[in-house]
Amino acid sequence: MQVSQFDLPAFEEEAHEKWTHSFESNPSKLEKFYINVAFPYPSGAMHVGHGRTYIVPDVIARFWRMKGKQVLFPMAFHVTGAPVVGISKRIANKDEKTIRLYRDLYRVPQNVLEGFTDPLTIVKHFAAEYQRVMTACGLSIDWRRRFITVDPTYSKFIEWQWKHLYEAGHVIKGAHPVRYCTVDDNPVGDHDLLEGDKAEVIKFTLVMFRYGDAFIPCATLRPETIHGVTNLWANPTVTYVKALVDGKAWIVSKEAAEKLALQDHTVEIKEEIKGSDLVDKKVSHPLCGEITILPVEFVDPDMATGMVMSVPAHAPFDYIALRDLQQAGKYKDIKPIPLIKVEGYGEVPAQFAVEKAGILNQMDSRMDALTQEIYSAEFSKGKLFEKYGGKPVRVARDDVALLMTEKYDSVVMHEFDQRPVVCRCGNKVKVKILHDQWFLKYSDPAWKQQVKDQLTDMALVPPEVRAEFDRTVDWLKDWACTRRVGLGTKFPWDTTQLIEPLSDSTVYMAYYTIAHRIKEIDSKLLTPEVFDYIFLGKKSEDLPEKKKLDAMREEFLYWYPYDFRFSAKDLISNHLTFQIFHHATVFEGQKNLMPKGMVVFGMGLLNGAKMSSSKGNVFLLEDAVTEFGGDTVRMFLMGSAEPWQDFDWRNELVLSTKKQIERFYNTVMETKDAGGEPHDIDRWLMSRLQAHIAKTTEALDNFQTRQALQESYFGIETDLKWYRRRLGKDCDGSRELHELCSVWVRLLSPFIPFTGEHLWKELAGEGLVSFAPWPVANAKLVNVRAELAEELLARTVEDIESIRKLIQITPKAITIALAPAWKYQIFQTIAAATDRNMVVKEIMKDESMRKRGKDATDAAKQCTTLIHRLPPHVVEPVAKEPVNERQVFESAKAFLEQEFGVPVHIVDAEGSGHVKALTALPFKPSIIIE
Ligand SMILES: [Zn+2]
């Protein structure tokens, strides 16, 4: 028989031809299933991390398609925003690093690269690349619906969406602190950041220490600790400045002077002061008296004002820095001044914690965690000493801050809670107070409540992310929603501004449902009334192209709401939550149009390190597909972790996945045409297959791609191996195997659709496997007794093998000794017992057991251990109805003798004359090798 070889590139070519328009999905009589995934920002080539983001929804789409649903899986490209403008500028300026990235890593041809001085050319180029590579990965996307977010038609849709947001009072103008890039002269969104996307803007109180005719402001989150300040810290290697801030002299770092100027202060720098010149100088504050400035190098000039007040009794860093100086013999008269009592941390909490943890110096990696621990403990259960008012810390903190602001010249300074925060242009991002800035009012409690209500009704996968969504809704503050620079839709109420990228990508899932149809209408005709009609069913006079609008209305209502949205977990804190806010407003009062579920992904690693294009630590998806094949990439990404877990791409592991697919292919090709008569073992094989079908289905119902592959690939492969072994060399299996192959190919097709299509053709399956019916477990083929019998045999074979290894003699015969009926009785009593400790008493109630004395109590102990070891799917049926062990082994005698090459005897343990035989237990015969 001529068997066609495993040839992935050939299968891919074959499938692409068949699939050309297959996944274009229209409303039908079938029930719909609509999934979508956060669309990409195509400013560079896709890497394997992107691959998983789009392959997971594709596997799910393929699964539901085979389950008989009408599936919609669309894709578009998000080209809004400033990053690409920066890239084009850097390319125009011949920036070597950027050109290297695009020319060498992304392999953009020179003539194309020359056009990259126009930002739109960049995104259009990579959008086409994305589509090409996504197709190469076998994604079953309806490409008719593709759009980019600067299409005039899409802009009309955004204007309509924003009209609703505005009318609902969610779009406001005001002054707020925002992340700001002074090079781009633009607020900075998460997508514009190279580093620090988790950084939040927090409010510090500046404590104003008097230094001659000037102030030295120190930023703190804990103003109440002023009573425990023993000194200030200055960095002797830093250059400070004396500046007039709102007319008063301040001494701060150079960096701080720049920041203050962005936060509603007039700043005029007068002179520079070396940090070393500040050391040993005296400062004072009415709440702590006169103290000294001490030198330390941990003070970062880029953190707040660059000067730090030291509270060694309550801050581990301060405590250690002081201890270091004192161990060198300096400043020995300074003692920590405790002011907060907190249970479990001794007299001086920072000292207590540092000594307990055994921390030797400032460099210890545990310092941050320790600092956080003390801060939290003091905030939640600490109280100020009586002489400082005796209030709980959480109350005293605000009181002291207010007092300082009113009486002691304190002001607020905004700063990030972590560093560095770096813009894509390479500049350090600062906090700026923006005036006349437009915001989305996410702080509005009523709006938040609408989102919370919606979240309770949504399916969130995995369930643990629910808490993170809740936290985000609570924490969200007003969001600067316009930008001066970039690509995008003009802001309707100030056309010098653009709607920023995270604010124009929140309801586009609804737009997908009509994206292919609306292209046929001139964008000038697309008034808000048109969209009101399509999406909200609001009728109005003189609507253009009424027939086309009706068709769109119908199609929207068929698909919407979407069933599941997929995205990486780093979008929970912005996009995934924003989209619910926007849906709640646009579709207010239409509960039936609100999103139904979300699936959140883990992150991708490359050889154990975080993938990052800018750092060059990526493996391009296209290279992966070329080197290993689309199916291999898919199966590796789906099988190495569940979608919400992080995965690690390693070429050597991917290579072994390729070998697995080849093994699967060869096995199907070799067994599909078997024609033998069914044996007993076929009943077992088909029974097992039903369980694999059920478990694979259940796993995919729950988006567990890894679990599904374990069942459908490894589960069936292991069974087939055992089946072959049981049949012996001369028999190549029964005609039942054709059915098994058909099921197997369908179960794996969502994961490896290219190989799947080819094998489906080889199996003479009808149509495309992509639309073949998903296998359904047949309860009639489930045979628990056959499975138990085979499990007993397999376990016994394993036992024989391990004993043989242990004793290391060439055996002459094997005896299998079977447990007597009374031990089965004990087994059943124990398995049924609710309290296993009472079970011996229970057994001894029986007259015949009492007669057996110690034998019975020993057997009870052994049975208890055995029951703990056996899986529940064995214990339950065995306890209900004992397996006829003699029959199992007699009928497998020939198999056993062939396996081990010696005569096999099957005997009853009692009366066999073997001492060892007496240890035989139910489902665990004793084995005697001679
Ligand atoms: Zn910038």
Side-chain angles (χ1 to χ4, degrees):
M1 188 173 54
Q2 182 68 36
V3 174
S4 84
Q5 290 298 307
F6 178 69
D7 183 354
L8 256 183
F11 302 165
E12 286 172 9
E13 205 182 315
E14 198 180 16
H16 283 310
E17 255 170 52
K18 292 179 185 168
W19 290 343
T20 315
H21 294 289
S22 301
F23 306 115
E24 294 174 358
S25 195
N26 296 313
S28 81
K29 290 212 164 58
L30 297 175
E31 204 180 314
K32 66 93 186 179
F33 188 76
Y34 175 19
I35 57 176
N36 52 65
V37 55
F39 53 16
Y41 183 83
S43 64
M46 286 174 96
H47 57 67
V48 291
H50 298 123
R52 183 170 77 164
T53 305
Y54 307 109
I55 290 168
V56 173
D58 184 66
V59 168
I60 301 303
R62 288 177 171 279
F63 166 67
W64 283 100
R65 208 176 275 127
M66 292 175 76
K67 274 183 84 172
K69 293 263 178 96
Q70 188 73 352
V71 172
L72 176 58
F73 178 28
M75 188 66 64
F77 298 101
H78 192 208
V79 307
T80 315
V84 82
V85 176
I87 294 164
S88 69
K89 265 190 208 152
R90 289 201 295 283
I91 289 178
N93 295 338
K94 309 245 180 290
D95 175 68
E96 194 47 41
K97 200 176 152 205
T98 311
I99 289 176
R100 251 197 320 241
L101 180 68
Y102 280 79
R103 186 190 56 207
D104 303 342
L105 183 64
Y106 298 155
R107 294 199 290 273
V108 178
Q110 188 57 38
N111 60 328
V112 178
L113 193 60
E114 277 159 17
F116 277 13
T117 46
D118 168 34
L120 202 55
T121 306
I122 301 178
V123 284
K124 284 190 168 165
H125 171 80
F126 284 110
E129 287 290 291
Y130 263 58
Q131 178 168 350
R132 197 171 55 75
V133 177
M134 284 175 167
T135 305
C137 289
L139 302 191
S140 55
I141 289 167
D142 181 349
W143 284 111
R144 294 172 307 166
R145 298 168 192 264
R146 171 192 196 271
F147 60 88
I148 61 173
T149 51
V150 292
D151 287 341
T153 311
Y154 186 76
S155 283
K156 292 288 183 179
F157 167 75
I158 294 299
E159 284 170 16
W160 166 77
Q161 175 193 339
W162 278 70
K163 179 171 175 279
H164 283 277
L165 291 167
Y166 188 84
E167 285 170 358
H170 297 319
V171 184
I172 54 157
K173 204 175 181 182
H176 277 265
V178 297
R179 292 185 293 209
Y180 201 83
C181 174
T182 48
V183 170
D184 301 334
D185 202 13
N186 222 9
V188 179
D190 289 0
H191 287 176
D192 308 323
L193 288 172
L194 221 53
E195 274 182 89
D197 60 332
K198 290 278 173 280
E200 283 183 37
V201 175
I202 43 179
K203 269 193 208 176
F204 287 91
T205 302
L206 295 187
V207 181
M208 308 302 276
F209 292 89
R210 176 62 75 176
Y211 174 65
D213 61 346
F215 281 124
I216 293 184
C218 295
T220 183
L221 292 171
R222 311 182 68 197
E224 77 282 7
T225 58
I226 181 71
H227 305 296
V229 173
T230 58
N231 60 283
L232 296 195
W233 298 116
N235 188 332
T237 67
V238 160
T239 306
Y240 291 85
V241 294
K242 188 173 195 178
L244 283 179
V245 176
D246 305 327
K248 287 179 190 160
W250 290 19
I251 292 167
V252 295
S253 68
K254 257 187 187 168
E255 291 85 343
E258 273 179 55
K259 290 178 192 178
L260 290 165
L262 293 172
Q263 296 186 15
D264 286 351
H265 299 287
T266 59
V267 179
E268 196 187 327
I269 293 176
K270 287 293 179 192
E271 58 176 302
E272 292 192 346
I273 298 174
K274 280 192 211 148
S276 51
D277 289 346
L278 292 170
V279 172
D280 292 340
K281 299 282 162 40
K282 301 284 181 195
V283 298
S284 66
H285 191 282
L287 296 177
C288 71
E290 192 177 71
I291 51 175
T292 309
I293 302 175
L294 270 47
V296 77
E297 292 194 6
F298 76 66
V299 172
D300 180 352
D302 199 22
M303 175 62 196
T305 61
M307 293 288 295
V308 172
M309 65 184 217
S310 168
V311 189
H314 297 280
F317 273 110
D318 295 339
Y319 173 75
I320 293 222
L322 182 61
R323 194 178 69 178
D324 285 355
L325 286 172
Q326 292 180 337
Q327 279 169 356
K330 297 175 193 160
Y331 308 110
K332 288 201 139 171
D333 52 334
I334 298 179
K335 296 263 175 310
I337 305 172
L339 66 137
I340 294 165
K341 196 172 166 49
V342 57
E343 222 179 273
Y345 285 89
E347 290 292 304
V348 182
Q351 179 179 5
F352 179 88
V354 162
E355 282 170 3
K356 193 176 161 202
I359 286 172
L360 293 178
N361 59 47
Q362 298 167 35
M363 295 306 141
D364 196 299
S365 62
R366 296 167 295 167
M367 285 296 283
D368 282 325
L370 200 67
T371 299
Q372 198 50 51
E373 179 195 320
I374 292 178
Y375 281 19
S376 306
E378 293 187 348
F379 183 72
S380 58
K381 47 186 192 179
K383 255 188 187 174
L384 260 58
F385 287 179
E386 281 307 322
K387 60 178 163 179
Y388 304 122
K391 288 183 186 163
V393 170
R394 58 172 78 225
V395 178
R397 181 163 301 174
D398 294 342
D399 289 357
V400 176
L402 189 68
L403 175 73
M404 284 180 167
T405 316
E406 286 178 349
K407 285 181 95 171
Y408 304 122
D409 300 290
S410 279
V411 292
V412 161
M413 180 175 183
H414 299 276
E415 181 60 291
F416 297 117
D417 62 345
Q418 50 174 273
R419 273 152 305 128
V421 183
V422 182
C423 177
R424 285 217 195 192
C425 74
N427 185 36
K428 271 189 195 155
V429 174
K430 301 185 176 71
V431 181
K432 178 176 163 94
I433 310 274
L434 272 192
H435 294 271
D436 294 340
Q437 166 67 34
W438 291 90
F439 291 90
L440 279 167
K441 204 167 182 260
Y442 291 135
S443 66
D444 177 358
W447 205 11
K448 283 182 195 280
Q449 192 55 48
Q450 282 180 300
V451 174
K452 283 185 182 170
D453 291 346
Q454 180 54 28
L455 275 169
T456 22
D457 291 344
M458 286 178 81
L460 301 180
V461 182
E464 315 69 281
V465 299
R466 186 170 292 279
E468 212 179 325
F469 275 102
D470 290 341
R471 255 202 312 279
T472 300
V473 177
D474 283 333
W475 153 94
L476 262 184
K477 300 173 188 82
D478 295 346
W479 183 262
C481 62
T482 59
R483 298 284 186 271
R484 246 187 290 280
V485 183
L487 303 176
T489 301
K490 281 187 176 152
F491 186 66
W493 301 277
D494 175 357
T495 51
T496 65
Q497 307 243 347
L498 297 158
I499 294 171
E500 64 85 36
L502 279 162
S503 302
D504 81 342
S505 55
T506 49
V507 196
Y508 69 96
M509 315 76 169
Y511 186 82
Y512 275 134
T513 66
I514 58 153
H516 54 318
R517 294 178 180 274
I518 203 160
K519 287 174 191 163
E520 295 170 12
I521 301 181
D522 183 350
S523 66
K524 290 189 197 76
L525 299 175
L526 298 176
T527 58
E529 288 74 26
V530 168
F531 291 105
D532 272 347
Y533 180 66
I534 297 172
F535 294 117
L536 305 173
K538 270 193 210 156
K539 297 201 172 76
S540 51
E541 299 290 319
D542 304 325
L543 286 174
E545 306 263 23
K546 188 69 182 356
K547 252 198 185 147
K548 287 181 184 166
L549 300 192
D550 282 335
M552 284 191 258
R553 171 81 183 143
E554 212 172 292
E555 175 138 14
F556 168 69
L557 287 176
Y558 176 76
W559 295 116
Y560 230 62
Y562 68 73
D563 294 273
F564 280 97
R565 178 159 184 75
F566 294 72
S567 164
K569 67 181 167 195
D570 54 338
L571 296 191
I572 294 178
S573 61
N574 48 58
H575 166 72
L576 285 176
T577 307
F578 290 3
Q579 52 128 6
I580 306 174
F581 274 92
H582 290 223
H583 271 85
T585 299
V586 171
F587 298 111
E588 182 154 27
Q590 308 209 39
K591 190 84 197 138
N592 58 325
L593 295 177
M594 291 298 287
K596 286 161 90 171
M598 288 185 275
V599 182
V600 177
F601 299 148
M603 308 303 274
L605 303 176
L606 180 61
N607 299 320
K610 195 181 163 199
M611 286 192 209
S612 158
S613 302
S614 57
K615 289 179 185 141
N617 189 44
V618 288
F619 191 52
L620 297 192
L621 187 54
E622 183 168 25
D623 292 349
V625 172
T626 311
E627 188 170 345
F628 302 104
D631 277 350
T632 312
V633 170
R634 295 172 64 103
M635 183 154 144
F636 175 78
L637 289 172
M638 297 305 98
S640 59
E642 297 296 5
W644 38 91
Q645 296 167 335
D646 296 347
F647 75 93
D648 189 6
W649 179 279
R650 287 177 193 268
N651 279 358
E652 64 276 15
L653 297 181
V654 181
L655 202 60
S656 76
T657 302
K658 185 174 185 180
K659 288 190 184 125
Q660 286 161 357
I661 301 175
E662 181 166 8
R663 218 160 61 213
F664 159 71
Y665 175 81
N666 290 334
T667 310
V668 171
M669 291 302 280
E670 284 157 21
T671 49
K672 70 187 174 65
D673 297 323
E677 287 299 315
H679 299 65
D680 284 352
I681 188 73
D682 283 281
R683 288 216 303 270
W684 169 81
L685 184 67
M686 293 315 277
S687 177
R688 293 276 299 172
L689 184 61
Q690 307 316 307
H692 295 311
I693 294 172
K695 285 181 185 165
T696 305
T697 309
E698 192 192 344
L700 284 179
D701 277 336
N702 295 314
F703 309 95
Q704 291 165 294
T705 56
R706 181 173 197 273
Q707 179 62 28
L709 267 174
Q710 291 291 325
E711 281 296 331
S712 57
Y713 182 89
F714 297 103
I716 295 175
E717 188 189 44
T718 308
D719 285 355
L720 263 179
K721 262 190 206 149
W722 178 251
Y723 173 87
R724 288 254 182 91
R725 194 167 160 190
R726 287 280 276 124
L727 280 183
K729 293 187 194 78
D730 313 326
C731 183
D732 58 356
S734 83
R735 54 179 180 263
E736 305 262 0
L737 288 178
H738 187 84
E739 173 58 16
L740 177 131
C741 287
S742 162
V743 168
W744 204 13
V745 166
R746 281 177 287 155
L747 290 181
L748 286 175
S749 276
F751 300 98
I752 48 171
F754 298 112
T755 307
E757 287 296 358
H758 182 81
L759 283 173
W760 190 241
K761 190 186 73 185
E762 293 283 348
L763 289 167
E766 207 179 304
L768 293 173
V769 78
S770 301
F771 292 87
W774 184 255
V776 178
N778 181 350
K780 281 191 196 134
L781 295 178
V782 175
N783 188 328
V784 178
R785 306 310 296 175
E787 288 195 36
L788 275 184
E790 222 45 43
E791 175 127 15
L792 172 61
L793 184 65
R795 282 172 177 273
T796 308
V797 167
E798 245 174 63
D799 283 351
I800 295 174
E801 281 167 348
S802 53
I803 293 171
R804 233 175 42 163
K805 258 185 220 144
L806 215 65
I807 59 176
Q808 291 194 332
I809 55 160
T810 315
K812 291 191 188 67
I814 296 170
T815 302
I816 298 173
L818 309 174
W822 63 268
K823 287 195 182 173
Y824 258 102
Q825 205 180 321
I826 288 177
F827 187 97
Q828 283 168 326
T829 312
I830 295 171
T834 43
D835 182 356
R836 294 216 169 129
N837 296 321
M838 298 295 291
V839 90
V840 175
K841 253 190 198 161
E842 177 80 25
I843 289 165
M844 289 308 170
K845 276 186 196 156
D846 187 310
E847 170 74 40
S848 65
M849 290 293 175
R850 269 206 306 281
K851 273 191 198 152
R852 296 185 189 276
K854 191 170 177 307
D855 285 352
T857 49
D858 284 352
K861 268 183 220 149
Q862 290 154 0
C863 280
T864 307
T865 312
L866 179 64
I867 284 171
H868 277 299
R869 282 190 192 150
L870 287 173
H873 76 262
V874 169
V875 174
E876 275 170 42
V878 170
K880 227 186 269 168
E881 189 191 336
V883 177
N884 186 335
E885 297 190 13
R886 178 166 285 279
Q887 197 186 325
V888 170
F889 290 112
E890 288 293 352
S891 66
K893 198 163 172 243
F895 161 69
L896 290 169
E897 289 182 340
Q898 193 185 334
E899 280 282 305
F900 297 106
V902 293
V904 172
H905 309 292
I906 295 135
V907 301
D908 287 324
E910 287 188 346
S912 69
H914 289 286
V915 185
K916 220 185 147 240
L918 297 176
T919 60
L921 290 173
F923 221 77
K924 195 169 181 48
S926 61
I927 290 149
I928 300 128
I929 298 182
E930 291 155 314

